[in-house]
Amino acid sequence: MDQNESIFREEAYELLSVLESSLLELEQNPVDNELISKIFRAMHTIKGSGAMFGFDKVAAFTHDIETVYDLLRNGKIIANKELIDLTLSSCDQIRRMIEGPDEADADEAARLTMAFQKFLSLVTDKTGQDKPRQAKAETKELLSPEPANQKVTYRIRFRPHKDIFSRGTNTTLLITEMRKMGVCKFIAQTDEIPLLSELNPEYCYTYWDIMLTTNQGLNAVKDVFIFVEDDCDLKIEAVDEDGAEERDEYKKLGEILIERGDVSREVVEKLMGDHKKIGELLVVEGLVAPDKIRSALAEQQHVHEMREKNRAADTSSTIRVPAARLDRLVNMVGELVTVQSRLSQLAAQVNDADLVLVAEEVERLTAELRDNTMSIRMLPIGNTFSNFKRLVRDLSEELGKQITLVTEGADTELDKTVIEKLNDPLIHLIRNSIDHGVEPPAVREQKGKQRQGTIRLTAQHAGAHVLIHINDDGAGLDAEAIRRKAIEKNIISADDKLTEKEIFALIFAPGFSMAKTVTNVSGRGVGMDVVKKGIDGLNGTIVIESKINVGTTITLKLPLTMAIIDGLLVRIAESFFVLPLSAIEECVELTRADVEQMHGRNIVHIRGEVVPYIPLRERFGIMGDPPLIEQVIISRVGDDRFGLVVDQVIGQHQTVIKNLGKFYRQIKEVSGATILGDGTVALIIDISQLVSGAVAEES
Amino acid sequence: MPDTIMTVDDSASIRQMVSFTLKQAGYAVIEAVDGQDALGKLDSSAAKMIITDLNMPNLDGIGLIRAVRANPAYRFIPIVMLTTESQAEKKQEGKDAGATGWIVKPFKPDQLLAVIRKVLG
């Protein structure tokens, strides 16, 4: 560029001397247009070249002078001595500016600029023109890159005027340029090409329908056609923006043709009556050229393809949010649910139809919001699953076994907190399967099994629960061996009669271990009871099924979420309690007569089955007499049914679970609390803990 | 053989800059100092494209474009004019005369090449 600079300097000095002599001549002959043009051109060149070679100050300074001389040239003003004096001193100023930035006197430049602007303002006021602004608007016109990341599909109909070639435009190049911008489909429309005898080879008869999907923004698309705007009919429409993703429907062929103005709505509607393909019909009837149909079809396909692509991209387009924020959101939704139930209660009390209407609306919205928020917290269990692959690989190698882990239903979603708490129990269970379940390869071969064992980890939805199966094709549980071991460890007594399922459940007892030798994998008798506790903590259940030499399946049944549950609201005296609805089977009445009939034993007969119950009033030490008719809530804990006696069943309640303070954490029977509509606190009862506590006390 | 581009400008510095940029990009360049000079050199040049200033002595850019378009051999040659921001009417005049496109001064070498690729391919 240095070389350019010196060339510019030389040229500028030359121009400046031309300017000086011309200006002096102009003083003698102020209306000589040829002279004025010469001065204008010189200024123009200084300005243009100055800007080009980095003499921005020179260019800026010359701009106003050039404008004044343009006016002079057009006869808008007439040169006077003042103007010529000004211009001459400007020439000196320009010379100084070119010689070096240090030589130039900024104040002098400002003074001169002001003076020229005064000239301009005189004229612009008169003619009402505002040149500088106009100039500014234009600089933006060409090649303006515009940041836009959104992918938009444009439908472009580019119909060049016939004589477009006479301006040296090559239409093919425009098309090539567009191709570089994104995914692009061209359909050339040839219906206007005349017969050979009438064809003028210098004319452009073809026009194009273009589908372009690009993220470069509308301006970039328009820039492609910037030189030919006036030489063509150009229609650019956005047909499918990223934002419109929600729409699952695609535009029908007829719609597209109508939008493009290729056919009228009436015609389409008329033809829609016949149940044939609209495109074929339009062609048969000669209403639309085949190319146009082809083009509309291409649009349909293009939009389709782009959406498919977007969808693929969408799967990864997620945002990460700190879990704490999510928890706060859930808490707030919880508060909202509470407030809403207060509103509903109030509305019911006041019994004002309008208020009830609003309350119901709020209830509906709250429920939707709750479900949505909960779904945000849902995570696929797959991440946890993939952790286990490594575990299985390392452990089986360590134990000299060949085991593959097969996972199914990795996309099953569970509440974030559930998944977090599920990790440890699952590790224990899988370790157990590896250690106790799957046999070493040699043993497997003897049994006629494949050397390689399989552990299958599957997750599936079942109503408001998720079932997780851990299945192995190993040795299976030996019920008799477990029984012996349990007797040995004093977990059961020798004369206890237990079903197979009950025996299997013994492995979850604290201190129970089947391992003959203690490995670092298992055998210390801690683990399975931890699993049981963990799953209980999640309000889940564990079931074991096993067959000797076929394998063992452990099934975990877990609630989808833990933050808000459906509960049954009950009352004892003045206290309210919530029982998790998922564990409840039915409610029956308990009269004084029923109680007397059983001679003080806490049991009820339900359709021939004897069900023990726990009078909660007694258990919780609530003062006062029970009502004449009490309610027994029959709930299922594991395989057994237990009744819980309360004064009154109030009804189903959306329960926002609040943790109890530190001080109350050790109370096993209560898993949390919730706030009722009127602000009262209701304790949430952990039924399985309550029952096992009561059973333990009995024995 | 590289495409030949003719640059027409009365400013030596602009000519120099344009021709330097074009040569760097692999084009052959023919320089002309004004419209008349350009017309005189055109036939023997085999130019594939013309880049011309508008304000020039003797024959200005508009006149040059008209004259080139009148020559059957150059009816479809791409012609790009160099304009300044304040020359909206000039630009229109140039388009009407048959210019293919334009570049607004001041421009950077990259912008010049972008426009050349746009019209010359």
Side-chain angles (χ1 to χ4, degrees):
Chain A
M1 222 32 153
D2 277 350
Q3 201 194 351
N4 282 332
E5 245 174 64
S6 62
I7 288 190
F8 167 71
R9 275 207 189 92
E10 258 170 53
E11 181 185 48
Y13 292 144
E14 220 170 275
L15 286 167
L16 284 171
S17 57
V18 170
L19 265 175
E20 260 158 47
S21 58
S22 309
L23 281 166
L24 294 174
E25 245 177 273
L26 185 69
E27 200 167 15
Q28 307 302 316
N29 197 356
V31 286
D32 185 339
N33 247 335
E34 191 50 43
L35 264 181
I36 296 170
S37 284
K38 208 169 170 185
I39 297 169
F40 171 80
R41 261 200 319 266
M43 282 297 178
H44 182 76
T45 304
I46 291 175
K47 181 188 129 182
S49 311
M52 203 84 114
F53 300 114
F55 292 86
D56 291 336
K57 276 194 190 145
V58 176
F61 178 72
T62 329
H63 177 76
D64 288 325
I65 310 174
E66 184 202 359
T67 317
V68 170
Y69 276 85
D70 194 32
L71 292 174
L72 208 65
R73 193 168 61 151
N74 295 332
K76 296 259 169 66
I77 50 172
I78 290 172
N80 57 15
K81 190 174 177 306
E82 194 197 346
L83 180 67
I84 290 171
D85 282 348
L86 265 178
T87 319
L88 280 171
S89 18
S90 302
C91 286
D92 297 340
Q93 177 69 15
I94 293 170
R95 182 170 288 129
R96 280 193 296 271
M97 285 168 119
I98 291 170
E99 266 158 19
D102 306 334
E103 308 284 321
D105 180 354
D107 295 342
E108 172 74 358
R111 190 186 66 81
L112 287 166
T113 307
M114 285 271 286
F116 276 105
Q117 270 165 358
K118 216 168 82 195
F119 257 100
L120 275 179
S121 67
L122 286 177
V123 185
T124 44
D125 281 353
K126 244 186 273 169
T127 57
Q129 274 181 319
D130 195 353
K131 281 231 161 184
R133 195 188 301 159
Q134 191 190 355
K136 215 171 194 180
E138 248 177 77
T139 46
K140 285 192 190 153
E141 209 178 317
L142 184 67
L143 304 166
S144 51
E146 173 194 358
N149 292 323
Q150 246 199 358
K151 272 201 177 156
V152 181
T153 300
Y154 296 97
R155 169 204 297 153
I156 302 158
R157 178 161 285 178
F158 169 53
R159 190 190 274 258
H161 293 166
K162 281 197 177 116
D163 59 351
I164 191 163
F165 295 143
S166 70
R167 293 225 167 78
T169 303
N170 184 345
T171 47
T172 330
L173 292 177
L174 294 174
I175 289 169
T176 331
E177 197 176 338
M178 196 153 283
R179 235 183 245 290
K180 286 180 192 148
M181 292 182 65
V183 184
C184 197
K185 271 208 179 77
F186 286 88
I187 288 92
Q189 299 287 357
T190 52
D191 54 306
E192 304 231 319
I193 298 179
L195 293 175
L196 193 58
S197 53
E198 292 156 25
L199 186 132
N200 180 342
E202 293 187 355
Y203 280 175
C204 176
Y205 296 102
T206 317
Y207 59 100
W208 288 269
D209 281 328
I210 304 152
M211 297 303 302
L212 172 69
T213 302
T214 177
N215 56 3
Q216 295 189 20
L218 183 59
N219 277 359
V221 179
K222 281 184 175 160
D223 272 352
V224 172
F225 297 100
I226 187 161
F227 290 156
V228 295
E229 290 179 312
D230 302 331
D231 308 324
C232 68
D233 297 325
L234 186 64
K235 218 160 91 182
I236 304 178
E237 297 160 288
V239 289
D240 198 50
E241 294 184 31
D242 255 0
E245 199 56 26
E246 295 297 312
R247 281 180 324 181
D248 275 332
E249 283 195 17
Y250 293 98
K251 279 186 192 141
K252 301 229 165 58
L253 183 61
E255 281 175 65
I256 294 173
L257 287 167
I258 293 166
E259 271 184 27
R260 290 174 169 216
D262 285 343
V263 70
S264 71
R265 185 168 290 279
E266 292 78 48
V267 172
V268 171
E269 274 166 10
K270 215 179 100 201
L271 289 178
M272 287 305 271
D274 311 349
H275 293 280
K276 270 197 200 167
K277 282 195 172 163
I278 180 97
E280 286 170 19
L281 275 173
L282 284 166
V283 173
V284 170
E285 303 264 329
L287 292 166
V288 180
D291 275 343
K292 288 200 167 135
I293 301 283
R294 206 154 57 84
S295 159
L297 280 173
E299 171 176 333
Q300 232 177 3
Q301 198 194 345
H302 183 88
V303 170
H304 190 83
E305 281 168 14
M306 286 305 118
R307 286 212 192 147
E308 288 293 307
K309 245 190 206 165
N310 276 348
R311 219 160 274 163
D314 266 356
T315 48
S316 57
S317 83
T318 50
I319 48 163
R320 279 169 174 274
V321 180
R325 271 197 222 169
L326 215 55
D327 289 345
R328 240 175 68 206
L329 178 68
V330 171
N331 273 338
M332 278 161 74
V333 171
E335 300 285 333
L336 190 65
V337 169
T338 311
V339 171
Q340 173 266 314
S341 63
R342 236 167 86 193
L343 179 66
S344 298
Q345 203 169 31
L346 202 69
Q349 275 169 18
V350 173
N351 205 13
D352 177 299
D354 287 342
L355 186 60
V356 168
L357 204 69
V358 175
E360 279 173 0
E361 191 87 325
V362 172
E363 187 174 346
R364 190 178 57 76
L365 285 173
T366 314
E368 244 170 67
L369 183 65
R370 181 195 69 166
D371 290 349
N372 253 312
T373 313
M374 288 302 144
S375 75
I376 293 175
R377 284 167 59 97
M378 294 295 186
L379 292 175
I381 201 167
N383 290 351
T384 318
F385 276 12
S386 54
N387 292 342
F388 299 142
K389 288 231 158 105
R390 181 69 194 276
L391 176 84
V392 171
R393 188 188 156 278
D394 290 356
L395 261 187
S396 53
E397 211 153 278
E398 198 178 311
L399 297 170
K401 296 182 181 181
Q402 291 177 12
I403 303 172
T404 48
L405 179 71
V406 180
T407 58
E408 279 165 34
D411 53 354
T412 308
E413 290 188 331
L414 263 169
D415 190 278
K416 168 174 94 54
T417 46
V418 177
I419 288 190
E420 280 164 7
K421 291 184 181 161
L422 200 56
N423 198 41
D424 286 350
L426 279 180
I427 286 181
H428 277 299
L429 291 173
I430 290 171
R431 278 184 171 184
N432 225 55
S433 291
I434 298 170
D435 198 20
H436 300 303
V438 181
E439 314 91 329
V443 178
R444 288 182 67 87
E445 232 165 30
Q446 267 178 13
K447 290 184 181 174
K449 292 184 186 178
Q450 282 185 335
R451 286 176 66 87
Q452 193 170 49
T454 308
I455 294 179
R456 202 174 286 276
L457 193 57
T458 52
Q460 68 185 86
H461 276 288
H465 292 86
V466 167
L467 300 180
I468 297 173
H469 306 283
I470 302 110
N471 165 270
D472 66 60
D473 60 353
L477 293 174
D478 182 347
E480 199 41 50
I482 294 172
R483 199 184 135 82
R484 277 202 305 274
K485 199 89 179 176
I487 294 168
E488 184 185 307
K489 298 229 168 193
N490 277 330
I491 293 168
I492 54 167
S493 58
D495 48 358
D496 273 348
K497 293 254 181 294
L498 295 171
T499 64
E500 195 175 55
K501 262 193 181 170
E502 284 168 326
I503 293 171
F504 289 157
L506 286 174
I507 67 169
F508 294 117
F512 186 89
S513 174
M514 282 302 283
K516 292 177 185 79
T517 55
V518 174
T519 67
N520 60 357
V521 178
S522 57
R524 292 187 194 280
V526 284
M528 288 311 257
D529 63 318
V530 174
V531 171
K532 174 85 170 124
K533 263 189 205 147
I535 302 301
D536 283 350
L538 293 168
N539 285 327
T541 55
I542 308 182
V543 176
I544 304 177
E545 290 161 283
S546 184
K547 249 194 185 143
I548 288 184
N549 287 336
V550 174
T552 307
T553 303
I554 298 171
T555 303
L556 309 179
K557 188 178 174 191
L558 298 158
L560 280 175
T561 177
M562 295 193 57
I564 298 181
I565 58 164
D566 279 321
L568 188 71
L569 186 63
V570 300
R571 187 181 60 82
I572 303 165
E574 303 300 313
S575 306
F576 293 92
F577 298 91
V578 172
L579 303 168
L581 201 61
S582 55
I584 291 166
E585 292 195 334
E586 60 185 312
C587 300
V588 294
E589 289 187 345
L590 182 70
T591 59
R592 288 279 162 88
D594 292 331
V595 179
E596 277 159 24
Q597 226 177 349
M598 292 301 151
H599 309 292
R601 280 181 302 162
N602 290 341
I603 47 170
V604 283
H605 285 286
I606 292 174
R607 289 183 293 276
E609 195 189 334
V610 177
V611 177
Y613 62 78
I614 304 164
L616 289 185
R617 178 183 278 271
E618 226 171 84
R619 180 135 190 97
F620 292 157
I622 297 169
M623 303 302 231
D625 288 324
L628 289 179
I629 300 171
E630 293 174 281
Q631 304 288 331
V632 186
I633 294 150
I634 309 297
S635 56
R636 180 166 288 275
V637 179
D639 284 331
D640 299 317
R641 306 216 290 171
F642 286 91
L644 303 169
V645 181
V646 299
D647 287 2
Q648 191 196 353
V649 173
I650 293 167
Q652 199 171 331
H653 183 256
Q654 261 189 48
T655 311
V656 182
I657 300 176
K658 302 267 175 199
N659 288 329
L660 289 176
K662 250 190 223 159
F663 200 66
Y664 301 102
R665 286 256 166 91
Q666 70 271 34
I667 302 173
K668 279 190 189 157
E669 288 85 350
V670 177
S671 60
T674 188
I675 299 164
L676 300 182
D678 59 358
T680 333
V681 173
L683 296 177
I684 301 166
I685 294 173
D686 184 332
I687 297 178
S688 61
Q689 289 289 344
L690 181 80
V691 169
S692 59
V695 170
E697 274 173 40
E698 281 291 304
S699 53
Chain B
M1 206 181 94
D3 282 344
T4 305
I5 299 175
M6 176 180 276
T7 166
V8 190
D9 206 308
D10 57 333
S11 157
S13 58
I14 301 267
R15 270 201 321 269
Q16 162 105 7
M17 184 265 195
V18 170
S19 111
F20 181 74
T21 307
L22 296 185
K23 281 175 182 159
Q24 285 286 93
Y27 296 102
V29 184
I30 291 173
E31 292 182 28
V33 295
D34 59 32
Q36 212 128 63
D37 188 25
L39 281 181
K41 289 174 177 171
L42 190 61
D43 275 327
S44 59
S45 71
K48 288 272 163 51
M49 176 182 172
I50 299 171
I51 300 171
T52 177
D53 191 22
L54 288 183
N55 283 297
M56 291 180 297
N58 299 326
L59 179 62
D60 69 1
I62 306 289
L64 172 65
I65 296 169
R66 287 212 185 94
V68 171
R69 288 281 179 246
N71 181 344
Y74 294 100
R75 281 190 69 170
F76 305 119
I77 189 175
I79 305 175
V80 169
M81 49 189 170
L82 303 179
T83 69
T84 55
E85 46 186 63
S86 53
Q87 288 179 304
E89 318 88 54
K90 275 274 173 182
K91 194 168 83 186
Q92 194 50 51
E93 215 183 313
K95 282 228 73 182
D96 292 344
T100 315
W102 59 88
I103 306 174
V104 177
K105 283 193 283 193
F107 54 84
K108 299 210 168 59
D110 290 348
Q111 290 170 307
L112 175 67
L113 291 174
V115 170
I116 290 172
R117 286 196 196 103
K118 193 174 173 70
V119 298
L120 191 58

